[in-house]
Amino acid sequence: MASRLLNRFPTLNNTAQHILSLPFLRSTVASPFLLHSRLYSEDVSSRVPNRSSLNQVELAKFSSIADTWWDAEGPFKPLHVMNPTRLAFIRSTLCRHFQKDPYCARPFEGLKIVDVGCGGGILSEPLARMGATVTGVDAVEKNIKIARLHSV
């Protein structure tokens, strides 16, 4: 599955190989993200082969609630609640690995991050504010639109 992703997105090849080489990410982050079912930033329901891990019911569910991604009291409240902890972990881990100053306002300056299954951009947006060039990818086209609208 990971090799199919890399073949489909050849520009991600170096990034993905670097991610896989990071020991602290290999078992907890790289495998789930690279094998995650949301691989595209467009509606792919008509092109998804039968062997796909995309679940049409899940895609429909997330599409129907896409407008609520940034409602901190809505269905995505758990993500909003855990996002500061998740960001602190990512910040400290990447700063340590890339020898960046964790106290700097934009410690991810010069880093490229791919957020596979980005949803409405709840994680992508703060990573970009910390200086990273972030590419958000999601199977639900409406999620990408919501993320773009919110980031403006």
Side-chain angles (χ1 to χ4, degrees):
M1 180 72 160
S3 62
R4 284 196 317 228
L5 173 62
L6 296 178
N7 289 337
R8 186 154 180 95
F9 299 98
T11 57
L12 299 180
N13 195 24
N14 291 339
T15 304
Q17 285 182 356
H18 185 72
I19 288 171
L20 289 173
S21 71
L22 302 176
F24 61 86
L25 291 176
R26 189 176 300 122
S27 62
T28 58
V29 176
S31 296
F33 281 162
L34 290 177
L35 298 178
H36 199 280
S37 61
R38 297 178 186 173
L39 301 176
Y40 310 99
S41 62
E42 59 189 81
D43 182 10
V44 295
S45 56
S46 63
R47 297 183 301 152
V48 176
N50 290 338
R51 65 184 185 277
S52 171
S53 61
L54 288 173
N55 181 320
Q56 296 303 318
V57 173
E58 287 293 304
L59 293 177
K61 177 179 84 173
F62 280 100
S63 184
S64 71
I65 60 174
D67 293 331
T68 65
W69 273 106
W70 289 95
D71 178 0
E73 295 299 319
F76 298 107
K77 181 178 181 175
L79 286 176
H80 288 277
V81 169
M82 75 178 202
N83 215 35
T85 303
R86 183 166 61 156
L87 286 164
F89 171 76
I90 292 168
R91 182 183 189 125
S92 67
T93 304
L94 291 181
C95 285
R96 186 172 44 253
H97 179 76
F98 291 107
Q99 299 175 346
K100 301 274 190 172
D101 179 4
Y103 303 107
C104 163
R106 295 175 56 85
F108 295 161
E109 200 74 54
L111 296 181
K112 295 179 182 179
I113 298 174
V114 177
D115 184 359
V116 178
C118 67
I122 290 174
L123 180 63
S124 300
E125 196 170 301
L127 292 174
R129 283 194 303 266
M130 287 190 262
T133 300
V134 181
T135 302
V137 186
D138 200 287
V140 178
E141 185 176 6
K142 196 171 181 183
N143 289 342
I144 299 297
K145 289 178 181 175
I146 295 296
R148 282 189 182 130
L149 284 172
H150 193 270
S151 69
V152 183

